[in-house]
Amino acid sequence: IKNVKVLGCPSLYQLPLYSGALTGLARNHDGHVSAIANMSSVGAEMSDKERDLLMYFPGRFTGFIDQTMDLEWKLSEDLAPVKAFLKQASHTFFDLESWVSHCAGYNFSMGARFHGNVVPLLKGVRSLFITVDSRTAEMVRFLKLPHIDIADFDIDKDIRHYYEISSYEGFISNYGNMMNDFVNYAAENDIPLSSDFEEAVKDLLPASHEATA
């Protein structure tokens, strides 16, 4: 294999197909934080920080995206508030568009699943990525997505704090370069892009791209 290039996750390159997504990520919301949560898979024994993160959700978040459907049965009795929250607030989707549409009801997402935080971005909803493994940590650093390591999560911080540290300035300023690399890689490897995608990304690419395409 000789055509390897680090591009990140293809899911992030869908943003231009969703009108207003990048504009929404750049906007700072000063009002009430209406938040949706997500959580990575946990082992038979939770770490203290995983427990803290789960206990942070009830009362602060109004929605939860369940991608594994195996979390609730792992919760011990002392996590009864989390069980009640999951029962009342959980949503599971089997198609992308329904999931994206659902995110319109929130202005913030936070949790430890990568795609649980990517999908809200397609609706222009800021997400804070909580990293729990090296794979995710490397991904968010490369993409310049706002993140904290789960070891640095503080249950005593207000949700507004986590919203405020979720700046998308770095991600947005680098997005044109990322997209240029993605489009060039597709061209170099004879991977066709749809006409809708090419139209959506043309304003993101350097002026020199069209001249050399």
Side-chain angles (χ1 to χ4, degrees), residues 64-100:
F64 182 86
I65 296 298
D66 191 344
Q67 291 179 249
T68 61
M69 293 179 283
D70 69 344
L71 179 60
E72 187 176 348
W73 68 269
K74 293 182 179 179
L75 302 180
S76 54
E77 288 304 316
D78 61 317
L79 291 172
V82 180
K83 283 188 175 183
F85 167 73
L86 293 178
K87 188 170 184 178
Q88 182 263 331
S90 288
H91 301 271
T92 301
F93 296 97
F94 297 92
D95 69 276
L96 178 61
E97 297 310 320
S98 296
W99 189 354
V100 173

Side-chain angles (χ1 to χ4, degrees), residues 16 22 175-176 179 197-207 209-210:
L22 287 169
Y175 195 66
M179 185 60 72
F197 185 82
E198 290 184 334
E199 178 66 22
V201 304
K202 66 180 183 180
D203 292 335
L204 292 170
L205 303 177
H209 179 85
E210 293 186 9

Side-chain angles (χ1 to χ4, degrees), residues 23-163:
T23 303
L25 295 178
R27 187 183 305 119
N28 187 56
H29 181 76
D30 294 325
H32 173 70
V33 177
S34 176
I36 189 166
N38 59 79
M39 188 63 185
S40 63
S41 299
V42 297
E45 294 186 13
M46 285 184 207
S47 70
D48 290 342
K49 285 296 184 177
E50 286 176 327
R51 185 178 295 272
D52 282 352
L53 182 57
L54 285 169
M55 286 297 291
Y56 191 76
F57 295 152
R60 297 179 178 91
F61 290 72
T62 53
F64 182 86
I65 296 298
D66 191 344
Q67 291 179 249
T68 61
M69 293 179 283
D70 69 344
L71 179 60
E72 187 176 348
W73 68 269
K74 293 182 179 179
L75 302 180
S76 54
E77 288 304 316
D78 61 317
L79 291 172
V82 180
K83 283 188 175 183
F85 167 73
L86 293 178
K87 188 170 184 178
Q88 182 263 331
S90 288
H91 301 271
T92 301
F93 296 97
F94 297 92
D95 69 276
L96 178 61
E97 297 310 320
S98 296
W99 189 354
V100 173
S101 296
H102 178 78
C103 292
Y106 308 92
N107 53 41
F108 184 50
S109 171
M110 174 174 154
R113 289 199 75 88
F114 184 79
H115 290 104
N117 287 315
V118 168
V119 174
L121 303 186
L122 303 179
K123 203 62 180 177
V125 176
R126 288 186 182 186
S127 294
L128 178 63
F129 293 73
I130 298 179
T131 59
V132 295
D133 54 42
S134 60
R135 178 186 63 88
T136 306
E138 290 173 359
M139 185 83 78
V140 295
R141 284 198 296 265
F142 174 77
L143 296 167
K144 299 187 186 303
L145 291 164
H147 62 278
I148 61 170
D149 189 273
I150 194 168
D152 298 320
F153 171 73
D154 186 346
I155 195 172
D156 294 320
K157 296 287 188 183
D158 187 83
I159 193 170
R160 168 59 65 173
H161 164 79
Y162 290 111
Y163 177 87

